[in-house]
Amino acid sequence: MKILILGDVMGRSGRLAVKKNLNKIIKENNIDFTVLNGENSADDGKGITNLIAEEFFQEGVDVITSGNHIWDKKETVEFIDKEQRLLRPENFAQGTPGNGHGIYLSKNDKKIGVINLMGNVFMKKTDDVFEIAKKMKNKIVLRKNVDFLIIDFHGEITSEKMAIGHFFDGVSTAIVGTHTHVPTADTRILENGTAYQTDIGMCGDYNSVIGMNKDNSLKKFLKDKNATNHFPAEGEGTLSGIIVDANDETGLAKKVTRILLGGNLIN
Ligand code: FE2
């Protein structure tokens, strides 16, 4: 079983990197299931539209995860309940539109669970992520309800991400961090068999400040009165994520490979 997980797609550059490379990666690597984080994929880097979500699905994405920017586009509240393949974090308050997890069928007819969580440290207020993680651990069980389980933990700090990684080690196929827009070099299989990377980075233009125009971003930091609202950098994007090769019997990872394709980052 081959699973592709891509980090935060940022604006037009990120979408173009996906459009240009996704089909090829899926074919060349025999990918059975693809997840990406789409919460920054709108033109201005804030939120996601129905049309963009549709484009991702047509390009081969199976599930889109998100985080703090999920409600940046008003229309998302309206279509998220109908679109089961778009997730918002599970630990948003009860009654929030949409779902934080789902069980899907892969191209090769396997049951794949996907859970989206959001960190508590330096993030918008949400329910305690470790409490919700405990509930989800009992609810979606490998080899019982699902064949494979993928978790996107959208968070700011490395310690919280690493802790949640160990919490799901051995009971999920892969757990990845998103949100910081910078890939970490700790791609590995944890000791009980779960593929892990603290942050799988951004699909977007790295000649920027986490995807935003660097000149304007610097002006903001320097308190220059000519600074405007942040807007995305639009140079060539890098595609950033991991491919997990998982064992069909156990649902655990056999191999994990980091991918960095195009743009400014060197693989
Ligand atoms: Fe985010």
Side-chain angles (χ1 to χ4, degrees):
M1 178 75 183
K2 293 276 205 69
I3 298 163
L4 172 68
I5 313 172
L6 295 173
D8 308 43
V9 178
M10 183 69 191
R12 286 192 192 94
S13 291
R15 284 185 352 247
L16 201 62
V18 172
K19 202 187 191 90
K20 245 171 41 187
N21 298 301
L22 186 60
N23 198 271
K24 198 170 140 233
I25 294 178
I26 290 175
K27 279 196 181 136
E28 282 176 4
N29 298 280
N30 299 315
I31 302 294
D32 303 298
F33 198 78
T34 301
V35 180
L36 65 70
N37 190 303
E39 70 150 11
N40 298 118
S41 59
D43 287 353
D44 60 357
K46 293 167 192 146
I48 183 166
T49 64
N50 200 352
L51 197 70
I52 291 171
E54 272 312 317
E55 274 171 19
F56 284 143
F57 296 135
Q58 276 165 25
E59 285 160 10
V61 174
D62 295 288
V63 173
I64 302 169
T65 54
S66 66
N68 52 308
H69 284 290
I70 184 64
W71 309 126
D72 286 0
K73 295 283 169 280
K74 264 191 195 155
E75 62 176 88
T76 313
V77 183
E78 269 122 58
F79 77 83
I80 200 165
D81 277 323
K82 284 171 257 161
E83 184 46 82
Q84 303 285 318
R85 295 170 294 177
L86 173 63
L87 297 177
R88 45 82 174 160
E90 177 71 32
N91 54 320
F92 277 4
Q94 266 210 333
T96 302
N99 290 298
H101 69 277
I103 296 175
Y104 309 90
L105 218 51
S106 68
K107 291 179 189 70
N108 53 346
D109 271 345
K110 300 283 183 188
K111 274 166 106 177
I112 321 276
V114 182
I115 304 171
N116 196 178
L117 296 169
M118 191 161 105
N120 292 131
V121 185
F122 301 139
M123 299 292 285
K124 277 181 195 161
K125 194 171 164 36
T126 54
D127 292 345
D128 185 327
V129 70
F130 283 88
E131 285 304 315
I132 300 297
K134 276 190 230 167
K135 282 187 194 154
M136 294 315 294
K137 204 181 198 176
N138 294 325
K139 190 170 175 177
I140 305 188
V141 180
L142 218 50
R143 295 182 297 277
K144 193 174 148 201
N145 328 91
V146 292
D147 299 306
F148 302 92
L149 176 59
I150 302 158
I151 301 158
D152 174 356
F153 185 92
H154 198 75
E156 189 69 47
I157 66 161
T158 49
S159 57
E160 200 182 26
K161 286 163 152 172
M162 227 176 256
I164 207 92
H166 293 302
F167 184 75
F168 280 105
D169 182 20
V171 297
S172 66
T173 312
I175 174 155
V176 297
T178 56
H179 179 68
T180 69
H181 293 198
V182 181
T184 54
D186 60 341
T187 318
R188 67 196 196 272
I189 296 175
L190 300 175
E191 64 179 356
N192 296 310
T194 296
Y196 174 81
Q197 187 172 316
T198 299
D199 201 296
I200 54 169
M202 163 183 79
C203 297
D205 180 6
Y206 281 81
N207 185 20
S208 66
V209 175
I210 63 165
M212 292 298 182
N213 177 281
K214 62 179 182 180
D215 298 321
N216 187 57
S217 187
L218 250 179
K219 278 184 191 163
K220 276 188 169 273
F221 280 114
L222 293 168
K223 299 184 181 62
D224 184 327
K225 57 181 187 324
N226 296 317
T228 63
N229 287 335
H230 285 298
F231 58 96
E234 297 205 326
E236 190 192 340
T238 301
L239 199 81
S240 182
I242 57 168
I243 293 175
V244 183
D245 190 352
N247 183 312
D248 285 348
E249 303 302 314
T250 63
L252 296 171
K254 290 191 287 192
K255 191 181 168 197
V256 57
T257 315
R258 192 170 349 137
I259 351 164
L260 294 171
L261 209 64
N264 292 297
L265 292 198
I266 300 163
N267 200 358

